[in-house]
PDB file of all heavy atoms in Angstrom:
ATOM      1  N   ARG A  14     -23.463-130.434 -13.219  1.00 97.00           N
ATOM      2  CA  ARG A  14     -23.068-129.060 -12.863  1.00 97.00           C
ATOM      3  C   ARG A  14     -23.210-128.847 -11.359  1.00 97.00           C
ATOM      4  O   ARG A  14     -22.243-128.911 -10.641  1.00 97.00           O
ATOM      5  CB  ARG A  14     -23.922-128.069 -13.685  1.00 97.00           C
ATOM      6  CG  ARG A  14     -23.293-126.699 -13.790  1.00 97.00           C
ATOM      7  CD  ARG A  14     -23.579-125.810 -12.586  1.00 97.00           C
ATOM      8  NE  ARG A  14     -24.984-125.554 -12.363  1.00 97.00           N
ATOM      9  CZ  ARG A  14     -25.449-125.012 -11.232  1.00 97.00           C
ATOM     10  NH1 ARG A  14     -24.630-124.683 -10.237  1.00 97.00           N
ATOM     11  NH2 ARG A  14     -26.750-124.808 -11.063  1.00 97.00           N
ATOM     12  N   ASP A  15     -24.428-128.729 -10.834  1.00 96.00           N
ATOM     13  CA  ASP A  15     -24.579-128.510  -9.392  1.00 96.00           C
ATOM     14  C   ASP A  15     -24.170-129.773  -8.634  1.00 96.00           C
ATOM     15  O   ASP A  15     -23.559-129.700  -7.571  1.00 96.00           O
ATOM     16  CB  ASP A  15     -26.033-128.144  -9.056  1.00 96.00           C
ATOM     17  CG  ASP A  15     -26.133-127.029  -8.031  1.00 96.00           C
ATOM     18  OD1 ASP A  15     -25.098-126.708  -7.419  1.00 96.00           O
ATOM     19  OD2 ASP A  15     -27.231-126.487  -7.833  1.00 96.00           O
ATOM     20  N   LEU A  74     -24.036-123.271 -17.865  1.00 98.00           N
ATOM     21  CA  LEU A  74     -24.237-122.194 -16.895  1.00 98.00           C
ATOM     22  C   LEU A  74     -23.283-121.024 -17.168  1.00 98.00           C
ATOM     23  O   LEU A  74     -22.141-121.233 -17.598  1.00 98.00           O
ATOM     24  CB  LEU A  74     -23.992-122.729 -15.478  1.00 98.00           C
ATOM     25  CG  LEU A  74     -24.334-121.774 -14.337  1.00 98.00           C
ATOM     26  CD1 LEU A  74     -25.844-121.572 -14.214  1.00 98.00           C
ATOM     27  CD2 LEU A  74     -23.781-122.272 -13.004  1.00 98.00           C
ATOM     28  N   HIS A  98     -27.908-120.914 -19.530  1.00 98.00           N
ATOM     29  CA  HIS A  98     -28.552-120.677 -18.238  1.00 98.00           C
ATOM     30  C   HIS A  98     -27.722-119.610 -17.527  1.00 98.00           C
ATOM     31  O   HIS A  98     -26.605-119.878 -17.083  1.00 98.00           O
ATOM     32  CB  HIS A  98     -28.563-122.001 -17.441  1.00 98.00           C
ATOM     33  CG  HIS A  98     -29.052-121.849 -16.029  1.00 98.00           C
ATOM     34  ND1 HIS A  98     -28.887-122.842 -15.081  1.00 98.00           N
ATOM     35  CD2 HIS A  98     -29.716-120.850 -15.402  1.00 98.00           C
ATOM     36  CE1 HIS A  98     -29.416-122.444 -13.930  1.00 98.00           C
ATOM     37  NE2 HIS A  98     -29.917-121.241 -14.102  1.00 98.00           N
ATOM     38  N   PHE A 100     -27.253-116.519 -14.599  1.00 98.00           N
ATOM     39  CA  PHE A 100     -27.764-116.224 -13.252  1.00 98.00           C
ATOM     40  C   PHE A 100     -27.031-115.052 -12.618  1.00 98.00           C
ATOM     41  O   PHE A 100     -25.887-114.744 -12.963  1.00 98.00           O
ATOM     42  CB  PHE A 100     -27.648-117.458 -12.347  1.00 98.00           C
ATOM     43  CG  PHE A 100     -26.238-117.748 -11.869  1.00 98.00           C
ATOM     44  CD1 PHE A 100     -25.834-117.398 -10.586  1.00 98.00           C
ATOM     45  CD2 PHE A 100     -25.322-118.361 -12.708  1.00 98.00           C
ATOM     46  CE1 PHE A 100     -24.535-117.664 -10.142  1.00 98.00           C
ATOM     47  CE2 PHE A 100     -24.025-118.624 -12.278  1.00 98.00           C
ATOM     48  CZ  PHE A 100     -23.633-118.274 -10.994  1.00 98.00           C
ATOM     49  N   SER A 140     -31.795-117.302 -13.806  1.00 98.00           N
ATOM     50  CA  SER A 140     -32.011-117.602 -12.381  1.00 98.00           C
ATOM     51  C   SER A 140     -31.650-116.415 -11.512  1.00 98.00           C
ATOM     52  O   SER A 140     -30.495-115.983 -11.526  1.00 98.00           O
ATOM     53  CB  SER A 140     -31.105-118.764 -11.930  1.00 98.00           C
ATOM     54  OG  SER A 140     -31.481-119.969 -12.487  1.00 98.00           O
ATOM     55  N   GLU A 142     -30.440-115.878  -8.307  1.00 98.00           N
ATOM     56  CA  GLU A 142     -29.894-116.763  -7.264  1.00 98.00           C
ATOM     57  C   GLU A 142     -30.367-116.298  -5.890  1.00 98.00           C
ATOM     58  O   GLU A 142     -30.484-115.107  -5.631  1.00 98.00           O
ATOM     59  CB  GLU A 142     -28.351-116.721  -7.341  1.00 98.00           C
ATOM     60  CG  GLU A 142     -27.694-117.762  -6.444  1.00 98.00           C
ATOM     61  CD  GLU A 142     -26.195-117.525  -6.282  1.00 98.00           C
ATOM     62  OE1 GLU A 142     -25.665-116.556  -6.848  1.00 98.00           O
ATOM     63  OE2 GLU A 142     -25.558-118.323  -5.566  1.00 98.00           O
ATOM     64  N   ASP A 143     -30.636-117.260  -5.020  1.00 98.00           N
ATOM     65  CA  ASP A 143     -31.124-116.987  -3.656  1.00 98.00           C
ATOM     66  C   ASP A 143     -32.506-116.332  -3.688  1.00 98.00           C
ATOM     67  O   ASP A 143     -32.833-115.486  -2.851  1.00 98.00           O
ATOM     68  CB  ASP A 143     -30.110-116.101  -2.895  1.00 98.00           C
ATOM     69  CG  ASP A 143     -30.183-116.316  -1.381  1.00 98.00           C
ATOM     70  OD1 ASP A 143     -30.825-117.297  -0.944  1.00 98.00           O
ATOM     71  OD2 ASP A 143     -29.614-115.499  -0.635  1.00 98.00           O
ATOM     72  N   ASN A 168     -35.949-119.649 -13.567  1.00 98.00           N
ATOM     73  CA  ASN A 168     -35.700-120.623 -12.515  1.00 98.00           C
ATOM     74  C   ASN A 168     -35.736-119.916 -11.159  1.00 98.00           C
ATOM     75  O   ASN A 168     -35.182-118.833 -11.006  1.00 98.00           O
ATOM     76  CB  ASN A 168     -34.320-121.240 -12.760  1.00 98.00           C
ATOM     77  CG  ASN A 168     -33.991-122.309 -11.752  1.00 98.00           C
ATOM     78  OD1 ASN A 168     -34.858-123.084 -11.354  1.00 98.00           O
ATOM     79  ND2 ASN A 168     -32.736-122.363 -11.336  1.00 98.00           N
ATOM     80  N   PRO A 170     -34.492-120.465  -7.583  1.00 98.00           N
ATOM     81  CA  PRO A 170     -33.709-121.318  -6.706  1.00 98.00           C
ATOM     82  C   PRO A 170     -33.902-121.019  -5.221  1.00 98.00           C
ATOM     83  O   PRO A 170     -33.935-119.859  -4.821  1.00 98.00           O
ATOM     84  CB  PRO A 170     -32.251-121.029  -7.101  1.00 98.00           C
ATOM     85  CG  PRO A 170     -32.282-120.009  -8.165  1.00 98.00           C
ATOM     86  CD  PRO A 170     -33.655-119.410  -8.192  1.00 98.00           C
ATOM     87  N   THR A 172     -31.588-121.420  -3.011  1.00 98.00           N
ATOM     88  CA  THR A 172     -30.141-121.672  -3.090  1.00 98.00           C
ATOM     89  C   THR A 172     -29.548-122.266  -1.822  1.00 98.00           C
ATOM     90  O   THR A 172     -28.661-123.116  -1.869  1.00 98.00           O
ATOM     91  CB  THR A 172     -29.423-120.345  -3.437  1.00 98.00           C
ATOM     92  OG1 THR A 172     -29.973-119.888  -4.675  1.00 98.00           O
ATOM     93  CG2 THR A 172     -27.936-120.501  -3.562  1.00 98.00           C
ATOM     94  N   HIS A 203     -35.658-125.023  -8.227  1.00 98.00           N
ATOM     95  CA  HIS A 203     -34.301-125.543  -8.015  1.00 98.00           C
ATOM     96  C   HIS A 203     -34.059-125.485  -6.512  1.00 98.00           C
ATOM     97  O   HIS A 203     -33.815-124.408  -5.962  1.00 98.00           O
ATOM     98  CB  HIS A 203     -33.334-124.631  -8.789  1.00 98.00           C
ATOM     99  CG  HIS A 203     -31.888-124.949  -8.608  1.00 98.00           C
ATOM    100  ND1 HIS A 203     -31.076-125.381  -9.633  1.00 98.00           N
ATOM    101  CD2 HIS A 203     -31.071-124.877  -7.517  1.00 98.00           C
ATOM    102  CE1 HIS A 203     -29.854-125.559  -9.210  1.00 98.00           C
ATOM    103  NE2 HIS A 203     -29.817-125.257  -7.911  1.00 98.00           N
ATOM    104  N   HIS A 205     -32.368-126.748  -2.787  1.00 98.00           N
ATOM    105  CA  HIS A 205     -31.258-127.409  -2.069  1.00 98.00           C
ATOM    106  C   HIS A 205     -31.771-128.008  -0.771  1.00 98.00           C
ATOM    107  O   HIS A 205     -32.832-127.664  -0.274  1.00 98.00           O
ATOM    108  CB  HIS A 205     -30.110-126.417  -1.854  1.00 98.00           C
ATOM    109  CG  HIS A 205     -29.280-126.271  -3.100  1.00 98.00           C
ATOM    110  ND1 HIS A 205     -28.157-127.033  -3.326  1.00 98.00           N
ATOM    111  CD2 HIS A 205     -29.428-125.492  -4.196  1.00 98.00           C
ATOM    112  CE1 HIS A 205     -27.642-126.710  -4.507  1.00 98.00           C
ATOM    113  NE2 HIS A 205     -28.402-125.772  -5.069  1.00 98.00           N
TER     114      HIS A 205
HETATM  115  O1  LIG B 601     -28.516-122.993  -6.204  1.00 70.92           O
HETATM  116  C1  LIG B 601     -28.456-122.088  -7.046  1.00 70.92           C
HETATM  117  O2  LIG B 601     -28.896-120.956  -6.844  1.00 70.92           O
HETATM  118  C2  LIG B 601     -27.818-122.400  -8.314  1.00 70.92           C
HETATM  119  C3  LIG B 601     -27.965-121.381  -9.398  1.00 70.92           C
HETATM  120  C4  LIG B 601     -26.722-121.204 -10.179  1.00 70.92           C
HETATM  121  C5  LIG B 601     -29.130-121.747 -10.258  1.00 70.92           C
HETATM  122  O3  LIG B 601     -27.295-123.473  -8.504  1.00 70.92           O
END
Side-chain angles (χ1 to χ4, degrees):
R14 201 276 300 167
D15 222 348
L74 188 70
H98 173 193
F100 75 101
S140 291
E142 189 193 1
D143 207 13
N168 182 38
T172 302
H203 176 116
H205 280 267

